[in-house]
Amino acid sequence: MPKKEIAYDTETTGLLLHTRDSMFSYSTCDPQGKTDVRRLDGNYLRVRESSKHLDNLFSSHSYAFVMHNAKFDLTATEKFLGKKIAEDCTIHDTAIQAHMFMNLHPNRRLKALGWELAGIDMDDEAAVKKATRGGDYSTAPEGIMDEYQERDVIRTMVLHRLFYPRIKANPKFREIYQMEMDLIPVTMRMEERGFMLHRGRCHKLVEWLQAEAVKARRELEDIAGWKVNPDSANQVRRLLFVELKLPIIKTTKTGMPSTQKNEVLLELRERTKHPAIETILKFRSFSRGASTIKSYLDLADADGLLHPDINTCAAKTGRESCSRPNLENVSKSAVLLNPYPIPARKIFIPRPGHVLFFIDYAGIEMRLLIYYSREQRLIDLLNVGGNPHELAAEIFFGDKYRSASARRKKVLYGASKNANFAIPYGASAEKVAEALGIPGDEGRKRLEYYRRELPGLVSLTPKISARVKSEGFVETAFGRILKVPRNKAYIGTNYLIQGTAAGILKRAQPRVHRYLEKATGGDARILLPIHDEIIIEYPRSMLKDAKEVLCGVREVMIDFEQFDIPLDVDVEMGTFDWEHKETFKIGD
DNA sequence: AAACACGGCGCG
DNA sequence: AAAGCGCGCCGTGTTT
């Protein structure tokens, strides 16, 4: 039986649904534009009446719910009703619909789209903001909220009627949209489960970092002779480039001398050895680390669990993002070029009785570059398990590479790998030479030879760029259209690779979720996706089966018929925390 | 007090 | 003309 489409929107006291906030009202709108606003607060009779209505709405299974950011409304509703609903209800998401046609749009908020696409005035939001004055929306006068909520469901229904027919009309779009809808309940279970913090370790680390930051700041003040704030780029500029007269290495987009770490401070440290540089590097790293970890503590629930907001359709390329907190950028203990790394991954631990598994796609970026380049020699190489960077090293350095010592080989291999990534993205001969660590004219020759050997990779960006200039978009292997700014056509290569990798991981997640459900009864669960990897929490009691289970996970992750290159994953296990990983062999 | 732009920085 | 791109979050400093 066809379901009746109904727009649905919830109002909550804030954004942290798994810790402090909750839903206090909701609204609906039918296809004829008839709206209904109901409060879940106030007197007992009203609460009882609305709760019953809400429960019936989701129990009847006769509606298709149209939402803008469905994951949020579904989470709020599940929390309120105290039961799972996401898996069995039919949903639409106008934020995801909008992304499919407007991936470059800077602000896909409901209000903005309603105004731009349907001329619906945004004054209702201003009225609510004014009425609440810093408090949450449950404190606004109900009359003002009624108007606001009515308009929001109308906006949602209008957007749906605008976008959805265009999706329905195109089989590829239908598949992509369905994939996005399938990802929503799976993502909800990750957010709900949460990632556990070791709070004792957090406190210790914060204390140490704060003390170190204070020390570094004092050292800097002694060197400078005034109270320079190392967090102020302006003050650091004055110290380094006016008072100490150090050379300006690069400028910011507004033309000011830059003081950033990788390209400026580390270079200045190398060149001048000035002690001020060291204290700035220390202070910035330690103080940033302290406030980041404090924010983790602040966001954790009573059990020490972090429940991030995983936005499944955030980036212009179709990638996901993560916030409150962002668990995609938790710093590692050691990273090339970082003299003062913060070991933040040590404070993330598996739940008691569990271990972590990290499953990441092996070399997916290079594999996709090769796939899109149509360079048959490299496609064949991947299919026999060869290493494209090894081949690149032989092309660049020939016998000099083959007969080098193991130590020297490593250096040449690393350089070749860098150049091998630079070239398909359109690097100039100068940049290739720089990557290889050889003079410019020599680089030109090597690149010429590389072009004769592997023309596909060299012409990849020029080809994509020409296409972007004429069409304004790239199309991934899954048929997703990604608009690319025409005045920066060369970034099309990046959009294509990043967007395709995102499509792979997004399709993998529901498969892995279902597989783990079947194989472990849901005892092993996905905690988080991070662009080309997923983190799984796995019960120790089932470790004897882990090899087999992870083989199954691998199978479903690499099963994509649209590619004529093979995909593969690397598996690591963390018994202690997110930092300490060891290779986990699943092969025979 | 709140909103914004900017520079800076972590990850993939 | 070009080794690239994508995020979220922090603190500073200014504007409203």
Side-chain angles (χ1 to χ4, degrees):
Chain A
M1 206 177 67
K3 304 213 171 183
K4 185 179 161 191
E5 290 179 344
I6 180 177
Y8 175 68
D9 184 39
T10 60
E11 300 301 325
T12 67
T13 56
L15 300 176
L16 300 175
L17 297 175
H18 291 284
T19 55
R20 50 201 79 157
D21 297 308
S22 61
M23 169 177 177
F24 64 85
S25 185
Y26 63 97
S27 50
T28 57
C29 174
D30 74 10
Q32 285 70 46
K34 188 175 171 302
T35 60
D36 185 12
V37 178
R38 304 210 177 213
R39 300 283 298 202
L40 296 162
D41 55 2
N43 74 63
Y44 169 75
L45 282 179
R46 183 169 81 168
V47 174
R48 197 178 62 175
E49 177 67 22
S50 310
S51 308
K52 212 170 140 197
H53 177 266
L54 181 64
D55 201 356
N56 287 339
L57 205 57
F58 281 93
S59 305
S60 75
H61 299 290
S62 48
Y63 297 103
F65 295 93
V66 184
M67 296 161 276
H68 196 78
N69 291 326
K71 185 163 61 59
F72 184 83
D73 296 299
L74 290 172
T75 302
T77 308
E78 285 195 348
K79 284 269 167 186
F80 184 84
L81 294 176
K83 61 181 183 188
K84 310 238 173 302
I85 53 172
E87 280 81 357
D88 342 288
C89 61
T90 305
I91 59 168
H92 288 290
D93 192 322
T94 52
I96 288 169
Q97 294 172 5
H99 186 283
M100 288 181 64
F101 300 106
M102 316 169 74
N103 63 299
L104 291 182
H105 197 286
N107 181 4
R108 290 183 297 272
R109 288 185 60 224
L110 179 60
K111 318 270 183 297
L113 294 177
W115 166 246
E116 284 165 40
L117 302 175
I120 301 172
D121 203 297
M122 306 190 341
D123 56 359
D124 55 328
E125 186 177 37
V128 171
K129 285 232 165 92
K130 198 174 164 195
T132 54
R133 312 224 315 154
D136 69 66
Y137 282 13
S138 69
T139 64
E142 292 188 15
I144 291 177
M145 280 309 290
D146 285 349
E147 169 68 20
Y148 175 89
Q149 292 179 254
E150 271 177 37
R151 250 190 242 182
D152 264 2
V153 274
I154 291 168
R155 287 177 173 111
T156 306
M157 192 47 94
V158 166
L159 293 183
H160 180 66
R161 301 182 80 119
L162 201 66
F163 290 128
Y164 190 53
R166 294 169 63 185
I167 293 171
K168 247 190 342 197
N170 179 328
K172 280 185 191 167
F173 290 178
R174 281 208 300 268
E175 189 274 337
I176 291 164
Y177 184 64
Q178 189 55 51
M179 174 278 287
E180 292 283 356
M181 294 306 102
D182 293 343
L183 188 55
I184 289 170
V186 172
T187 304
M188 284 172 67
R189 299 304 157 231
M190 301 180 205
E191 296 177 350
E192 182 183 36
R193 184 170 178 93
F195 205 148
M196 184 160 274
L197 273 183
H198 189 300
R199 281 184 290 192
R201 261 183 244 166
C202 283
H203 287 296
K204 272 210 163 131
L205 189 51
V206 168
E207 218 169 283
W208 185 80
L209 290 168
Q210 283 177 333
E212 289 299 308
V214 167
K215 263 197 251 169
R217 191 174 192 146
R218 292 216 180 105
E219 280 172 38
L220 180 64
E221 286 171 6
D222 286 346
I223 294 164
W226 54 288
K227 283 195 169 308
V228 43
N229 177 356
D231 259 342
S232 163
N234 249 322
Q235 296 179 34
V236 172
R237 266 194 279 274
R238 201 158 73 224
L239 176 68
L240 297 186
F241 306 115
V242 180
E243 296 177 7
L244 301 177
K245 297 195 167 49
L246 302 184
I248 293 169
I249 289 173
K250 79 176 237 190
T251 56
T252 68
K253 67 175 176 189
T254 55
M256 301 302 280
S258 167
T259 70
Q260 56 126 274
K261 170 166 72 77
N262 282 1
E263 282 164 76
V264 180
L265 295 188
L266 291 180
E267 177 72 20
L268 285 177
R269 178 169 82 151
E270 185 82 6
R271 273 203 234 167
T272 71
K273 307 252 190 292
H274 198 287
I277 307 290
E278 208 63 37
T279 62
I280 296 166
L281 288 169
K282 273 193 210 167
F283 175 85
R284 284 193 182 167
S285 185
F286 295 147
S287 73
R288 182 185 197 272
S291 43
T292 304
I293 292 164
K294 270 198 284 185
S295 83
Y296 294 159
L297 280 166
D298 185 53
L299 288 164
D301 72 9
D303 300 317
L305 291 167
L306 283 172
H307 304 275
D309 181 3
I310 301 165
N311 188 341
T312 61
C313 212
K316 291 181 282 212
T317 55
R319 258 195 185 180
E320 304 188 76
S321 76
C322 182
S323 60
R324 282 174 260 114
N326 182 0
L327 294 183
E328 291 174 336
N329 70 345
V330 178
S331 59
K332 302 167 159 183
S333 288
V335 163
L336 208 62
L337 285 182
N338 191 346
Y340 302 103
I342 306 303
R345 293 192 175 195
K346 287 186 183 164
I347 65 182
F348 288 84
I349 56 175
R351 271 180 181 61
H354 291 71
V355 298
L356 300 171
F357 279 111
F358 309 94
I359 304 145
D360 73 297
Y361 283 100
I364 193 156
E365 188 181 359
M366 184 46 67
R367 286 175 199 250
L368 292 179
L369 283 166
I370 290 168
Y371 165 73
Y372 282 116
S373 79
R374 304 317 302 148
E375 178 62 61
Q376 198 58 46
R377 187 170 162 197
L378 288 170
I379 293 172
D380 293 342
L381 183 71
L382 286 180
N383 276 303
V384 298
N387 179 346
H389 304 310
E390 191 81 29
L391 174 62
E394 287 176 8
I395 291 173
F396 287 129
F397 297 109
D399 282 335
K400 215 190 273 170
Y401 175 72
R402 284 183 210 100
S403 58
S405 67
R407 215 183 134 76
R408 175 89 182 126
K409 236 177 170 169
K410 238 183 177 166
V411 173
L412 295 180
Y413 176 85
S416 303
K417 185 172 166 181
N418 282 344
N420 214 24
F421 275 114
I423 289 167
Y425 284 119
S428 63
E430 289 70 29
K431 289 289 180 184
V432 173
E434 200 184 307
L436 290 174
I438 57 179
D441 54 332
E442 185 69 12
R444 197 167 296 280
K445 282 188 232 158
R446 302 279 168 89
L447 178 57
E448 239 348 282
Y449 180 56
Y450 183 100
R451 186 202 303 279
R452 285 204 295 280
E453 295 291 311
L454 304 171
L457 280 185
V458 183
S459 59
L460 183 63
T461 285
K463 274 193 181 143
I464 292 171
S465 184
R467 187 113 192 251
V468 169
K469 277 178 195 141
S470 66
E471 318 220 14
F473 62 85
V474 294
E475 182 180 343
T476 73
F478 299 106
R480 189 166 202 138
I481 303 291
L482 295 171
K483 298 214 169 82
V484 179
R486 277 176 200 267
N487 58 351
K488 287 201 282 178
Y490 64 93
I491 74 172
T493 309
N494 208 269
Y495 275 46
L496 196 55
I497 303 303
Q498 201 180 102
T500 306
I504 290 171
L505 194 70
K506 282 179 165 187
R507 282 164 179 78
Q509 290 171 68
R511 296 183 191 173
V512 172
H513 182 88
R514 282 194 302 269
Y515 175 80
L516 290 176
E517 199 111 87
K518 201 180 68 188
T520 72
D523 288 339
R525 297 262 293 262
I526 306 178
L527 292 187
L528 189 73
I530 315 183
H531 306 311
D532 66 348
E533 79 172 297
I534 53 180
I535 302 179
I536 287 174
E537 198 168 49
Y538 188 97
R540 284 171 185 263
S541 63
M542 294 181 146
L543 275 176
K544 57 180 185 326
D545 305 321
K547 199 167 153 171
E548 197 190 322
V549 171
L550 287 156
C551 266
V553 170
R554 173 179 177 275
E555 285 298 311
V556 299
M557 283 180 74
I558 66 176
D559 180 26
F560 288 91
E561 89 285 338
Q562 39 271 92
F563 303 106
D564 55 2
I565 46 123
L567 297 179
D568 205 351
V569 299
D570 292 325
V571 181
E572 289 174 301
M573 184 170 69
T575 52
F576 196 54
D577 59 40
W578 190 355
E579 184 72 54
H580 300 100
K581 306 177 181 179
E582 42 192 277
T583 306
F584 187 85
K585 282 216 164 45
I586 59 170
D588 2 59

